[in-house]
Amino acid sequence: MLIWLENAPVFGVDKDEDVVAYIDSIITCRKPNSDPELLDLVNRQTHRHSHTCRKRSKNICRFNYPQPPMGSTQILYPLDDNTPPTVVKSSKELWKNIRGKLNDLKEGKNITFSELLEELDVSERQYYLAIRSSLNCPTLFLKRSPNELRINNYNRTCLQAWRANMDIQYVLDVYACAMYIVSYISKAQKGMSELLRKAVDEAKQGNTNIKQQVRDIGNKFLNSVEICAQEAVYVVLQLPMRKASRSVIFINTSPPAERVELLKPLSEIEKMSDECEEIQSGGLLKRYVERPECMQNTTLADWAAWYDSCIIYSCRKTNKKTDIDNLPMENNEENNDDQLLENNPGVNATISKAVKKRIQARIIRSVWFNKEAQPNKHYR
C-alpha cells in the first residue's frame, strides 16, 4: 500500500536532518514498555526467518535481519569512490564480524548502544563505516536498541488500527519503490525466470542474429505469460499499449568512463581497418558533437529537446536511351528513392545530413546524482 502524506519532506530535495526528523515522528521500531497493549502488538512485529528469507541458497536474510542497532535515526550512504582500498577492505571484514555477532544475539540483548559498541570492541565511527561498506544506495536506519534487532518498522496509529504485522518504510528511491510494486504485481508468474533462461539458451544455440534471438525470446514470453482478456485483444489487433503526447529522450550525463555504448554491427566492424577504434555506433552525444557550424552555440539540452538529425537523398537517374532527336527519353515509371538506390546501380545519389527542428520539444531525462553523496558528479 502506498501512502502520500501532505507536506512531507522529500529525500534529495530537503535536508537529511529534516527528513530524519519527519521519519522519527511517524515511524519507529521501539518496544513501548509503558504500554502493555501496544507492546503485545509490537511483539507480533518480530521477524522470523523462513524459506523466503534465503532464496537461491543464500545464507543471508534478503530482508537484512537482524537490523543493526543505531544510537539515532540516520540515512547512511555507500562509501565514497575516493575511500582508500584498505579502509574499504577492513570495513567489509568488520561488517562480517558484526553481522555474525548480531545473528548470535537471536532476539537481542538488553544493553545500550554504547555497551554494544564496547562488546564489539569498535568505535562509533568504525561501526558506521562497516555498515556503509555493505550498502549500494542510500539507506535509512531507524533508532534501534540491541534488544530490537528483529522488530519491523511500524506506525503506532496504523498498528493499533491494523492489529497485525506491518513493515512501513519511508521511500528514499522512487525507482526502487516502483520496482518493488511491479515485482509484487508479477509475483504470480511462477517459473517464468526459468522459462526465459531456457529460451535464452535455445536462442544462443540457433544460428541466428541478435535481432532474431530477441524476437524468439519475446515470442516465448508472450506465449507463456498470463495476460488479461483486454491485453490479449490489444496484442492480437496490434494496438499500441500506450500513447503519449510528448516524446522523452535520455541524455547520458555520466562521466565518459561510466557510459555504456552500443557497438556497430559485426559486418561493419569487419570492413574497418585494424587501426580504426571507432567501433561504437552513433548516438545523441556524437550527433551533437558533429552538429553544423551554424549551431555551435546550441546547448546539448536544446539540441536533444528540439532537433532531429535526418538524411536527405538526392537521386538522379541517368537514362541512356535517346529519341530520334538524340535526347534522353522520358521515363514514366514510378519509383521511390529507396527502390532507385537498391535496384538501379546507374542512379547517381547524393547523401547529405540535415537538421530538422521539432514542433514540440521532447522531455529530457538524465542521470541523477545525489549532491551530498556525489557532489563532484552532481555539479559537473
Side-chain angles (χ1 to χ4, degrees):
M1 178 174 63
L2 279 176
I3 302 176
W4 280 267
L5 300 179
E6 188 176 4
N7 299 324
V10 179
F11 174 70
V13 178
D14 298 288
K15 295 181 179 179
D16 283 2
E17 294 79 7
D18 297 336
V19 175
V20 167
Y22 182 78
I23 292 172
D24 276 335
S25 67
I26 59 173
I27 304 175
T28 184
C29 61
R30 309 307 303 274
K31 287 185 176 181
N33 295 319
S34 59
D35 189 341
E37 183 180 356
L38 183 59
L39 179 61
D40 181 61
L41 295 174
V42 171
N43 288 333
R44 304 178 188 178
Q45 292 284 109
T46 304
H47 177 82
R48 311 288 183 186
H49 288 314
S50 63
H51 68 281
T52 59
C53 293
R54 295 181 172 87
K55 286 187 175 181
R56 300 175 184 174
S57 302
K58 291 185 177 181
N59 294 325
I60 299 176
C61 174
R62 66 189 182 99
F63 301 110
N64 299 318
Y65 281 93
Q67 289 283 333
M70 301 290 290
S72 61
T73 301
Q74 295 190 41
I75 298 175
L76 297 183
Y77 295 86
L79 294 177
D80 299 332
D81 297 336
N82 299 327
T83 305
T86 54
V87 176
V88 175
K89 183 178 179 180
S90 61
S91 298
K92 288 182 178 292
E93 292 177 354
L94 180 59
W95 174 243
K96 288 182 180 179
N97 295 332
I98 293 174
R99 177 174 283 278
K101 292 180 179 179
L102 293 179
N103 276 318
D104 294 338
L105 292 179
K106 303 298 180 182
E107 299 296 331
K109 192 174 182 180
N110 287 319
I111 57 176
T112 63
F113 178 67
S114 300
E115 291 172 341
L116 175 67
L117 294 180
E118 292 179 3
E119 288 191 5
L120 296 174
D121 193 22
V122 296
S123 65
E124 188 171 354
R125 179 179 178 277
Q126 291 174 326
Y127 182 77
Y128 290 140
L129 282 175
I131 297 176
R132 291 175 60 192
S133 68
S134 66
L135 304 180
N136 296 320
C137 61
T139 307
L140 172 69
F141 292 91
L142 293 178
K143 181 179 180 180
R144 188 184 298 268
S145 298
N147 65 340
E148 299 162 346
L149 302 177
R150 302 177 187 273
I151 296 180
N152 292 333
N153 307 343
Y154 68 92
N155 173 273
R156 293 174 180 268
T157 304
C158 291
L159 182 60
Q160 289 173 333
W162 183 247
R163 304 187 69 81
N165 181 43
M166 68 167 56
D167 186 4
I168 186 169
Q169 299 182 36
Y170 179 89
V171 176
L172 295 180
D173 188 345
V174 177
Y175 177 77
C177 178
M179 290 296 296
Y180 182 80
I181 295 172
V182 170
S183 66
Y184 261 87
I185 294 174
S186 58
K187 200 171 184 179
Q189 305 296 337
K190 295 182 179 179
M192 285 302 299
S193 298
E194 185 63 27
L195 177 68
L196 292 179
R197 195 176 296 110
K198 291 181 179 179
V200 171
D201 294 337
E202 292 175 1
K204 289 181 178 179
Q205 293 174 1
N207 189 19
T208 56
N209 56 30
I210 186 66
K211 186 176 181 179
Q212 184 60 39
Q213 291 179 18
V214 173
R215 184 179 287 115
D216 293 341
I217 296 171
N219 289 335
K220 180 75 72 172
F221 174 80
L222 190 60
N223 292 331
S224 303
V225 70
E226 298 176 4
I227 60 176
C228 61
Q230 292 82 356
E231 185 176 354
V233 171
Y234 268 70
V235 172
V236 171
L237 298 180
Q238 297 184 356
L239 298 175
M241 290 290 185
R242 64 179 181 87
K243 293 182 179 179
S245 59
R246 301 288 291 272
S247 299
V248 179
I249 189 168
F250 174 76
I251 303 178
N252 193 346
T253 53
S254 299
E258 299 179 8
R259 295 172 189 165
V260 178
E261 297 184 82
L262 295 176
L263 298 179
K264 292 180 179 179
L266 185 59
S267 57
E268 292 187 19
I269 295 178
E270 291 176 346
K271 297 178 182 178
M272 297 165 56
S273 62
D274 296 338
E275 293 78 15
C276 184
E277 298 180 354
E278 296 292 332
I279 61 174
Q280 292 87 3
S281 60
L284 172 65
L285 297 179
K286 187 175 181 180
R287 292 194 298 271
Y288 176 70
V289 172
E290 298 175 352
R291 65 192 183 279
E293 289 291 336
C294 61
M295 303 185 68
Q296 291 301 311
N297 294 329
T298 304
T299 63
L300 175 59
D302 286 337
W303 173 268
W306 284 103
Y307 296 97
D308 288 324
S309 296
C310 58
I311 298 177
I312 298 177
Y313 295 94
S314 178
C315 301
R316 181 170 57 85
K317 186 174 180 180
T318 57
N319 193 344
K320 296 182 180 180
K321 296 181 180 180
T322 58
D323 58 12
I324 56 176
D325 297 324
N326 202 28
L327 295 174
M329 294 183 63
E330 294 184 0
N331 190 346
N332 295 325
E333 295 180 359
E334 295 182 356
N335 291 320
N336 58 38
D337 292 344
D338 293 337
Q339 291 173 336
L340 287 174
L341 290 172
E342 293 177 2
N343 303 327
N344 298 281
V347 172
N348 294 328
T350 303
I351 301 176
S352 59
K353 293 183 179 179
V355 177
K356 180 175 64 175
K357 188 171 183 179
R358 300 171 59 86
I359 298 176
Q360 192 175 45
R362 297 186 183 95
I363 296 173
I364 295 176
R365 293 178 59 246
S366 61
V367 183
W368 180 84
F369 297 104
N370 186 282
K371 63 181 179 181
E372 296 183 2
Q374 298 172 307
N376 294 335
K377 294 181 179 180
H378 178 80
Y379 292 108
R380 61 184 289 272

